[in-house]
Amino acid sequence: ANPRMCEMLGYSREELIGLQADDIVANSEIQYIQPALDKISESDDYQRQWHFRRKDGSQFEVDVTAKIMPDGNLLAMVRDITTIKSHEREISRLSKLYAALSQINHAIIRTTTREALFEKVCEALVEDGGFKMVWLGWYDPETHLLKPVASCGDVDGYIRKVKIYGDDRPEGRGPSGVSFRTGRPYICNDLQNDPIASLWREEQIKRNYQA
C-alpha cells in the first residue's frame, strides 16, 4: 500500500494493511469481490471500475487493474477517476441539452400552433434533454396564476395540484414566481432545502424533485 493509496482512502499504511477488501469498497460492490478474485486468478488482464469507500464513509470511483504475481501475491493498480467521471457526466449532460435544443429548433420551424409548440418543447427537454419533468406556465392577468399550458413527465398531475402565482403573494415567491417577475432564470439545485420552495416541499419530496 503506497502513500497515494493511503491518501485516497484516508487510512494510515498500518491501518490499511489490516483491512479486507470489503472494508474499502462500497457496500453495493461487496458482492463482486469474490467473482473479481476468481477472474484475476484466471486472467492476466483484469480491469474494472469500482466504487471505493474512504475511512470517513464517503465514496469515489476508481479504475482497478490487477494480476497475480509469480510469487502468488496479488498486485493491484488503483487510479482515482472521480474527475474523469465528472467530466464525462458533464459532457453527457451538455450533449443531451444540445440534442433537446436541436429538437426545439425543429419544432419552432415545423409546428403550426402555439399549443403544439409548447408540448414539443416540454417533450424535447424530457425525452432528449434528460429532465425528469418540465412544464410551461402562461400568466393569467386576471387571477395572476401561472397556469400550466403544457408539461411532460408529470406522471401524477403535480403541476395541476399546486398553485403558483406571478404576483408577490406567498405562492408567488417561489422559483417560478420570482423568475416571472424578474424576467431572469431562477436556478435552485437544492430544492428540498431552499426556503424559497417551502410551500411546495411536501409534494416535491413525495416525487423526489431535487432541482
Side-chain angles (χ1 to χ4, degrees), residues 18-132:
L19 299 180
Q20 301 297 321
D22 56 11
D23 292 315
I24 64 170
V25 303
N27 289 336
S28 60
E29 301 263 60
I30 290 175
Q31 60 185 312
Y32 303 116
I33 294 173
Q34 190 57 53
L37 293 172
D38 294 340
K39 187 172 182 180
I40 293 168
S41 67
E42 298 167 358
S43 172
D44 285 336
D45 58 355
Y46 174 84
Q47 185 273 332
R48 185 182 185 273
Q49 292 180 3
W50 291 75
H51 285 83
F52 272 19
R53 187 174 73 246
R54 298 184 181 91
K55 184 178 181 179
D56 64 8
S58 61
Q59 297 183 15
F60 64 108
E61 295 175 88
V62 298
D63 182 81
V64 176
T65 304
K67 66 180 297 183
I68 300 295
M69 301 299 287
D71 62 4
N73 285 315
L74 186 152
L75 174 67
M77 308 294 289
V78 179
R79 183 167 62 110
D80 186 340
I81 56 173
T82 304
T83 301
I84 294 172
K85 285 295 184 179
S86 177
H87 289 166
E88 288 178 353
R89 284 189 286 267
E90 181 65 8
I91 290 169
S92 175
R93 186 182 72 86
L94 292 175
S95 296
K96 289 178 180 178
L97 290 176
Y98 282 124
L101 180 59
S102 176
Q103 292 299 319
I104 290 170
N105 287 337
H106 284 299
I108 290 171
I109 295 170
R110 297 174 181 174
T111 308
T112 57
T113 68
R114 185 177 72 187
E115 292 75 16
L117 176 60
F118 290 167
E119 292 291 345
K120 289 289 187 183
V121 168
C122 293
E123 288 173 8
L125 288 168
V126 170
E127 296 173 3
D128 298 287
F131 291 93
K132 184 174 182 178

Side-chain angles (χ1 to χ4, degrees), residues 117-192:
L117 176 60
F118 290 167
E119 292 291 345
K120 289 289 187 183
V121 168
C122 293
E123 288 173 8
L125 288 168
V126 170
E127 296 173 3
D128 298 287
F131 291 93
K132 184 174 182 178
M133 189 271 281
V134 173
W135 70 283
L136 195 153
W138 194 263
Y139 179 66
D140 184 335
E142 293 184 3
T143 64
H144 301 288
L145 274 168
L146 293 177
K147 298 174 65 174
V149 293
S151 66
C152 186
D154 187 14
V155 294
D156 61 355
Y158 163 77
I159 204 62
R160 306 288 173 181
K161 293 177 183 176
V162 299
K163 297 293 184 183
I164 300 174
Y165 289 85
D167 59 13
D168 196 37
R169 73 185 74 191
E171 295 87 349
R173 298 174 191 164
S176 300
V178 170
S179 180
F180 173 76
R181 286 195 305 281
T182 62
R184 300 175 61 186
Y186 186 96
I187 298 170
C188 176
N189 285 319
D190 189 11
L191 199 61
Q192 294 181 9

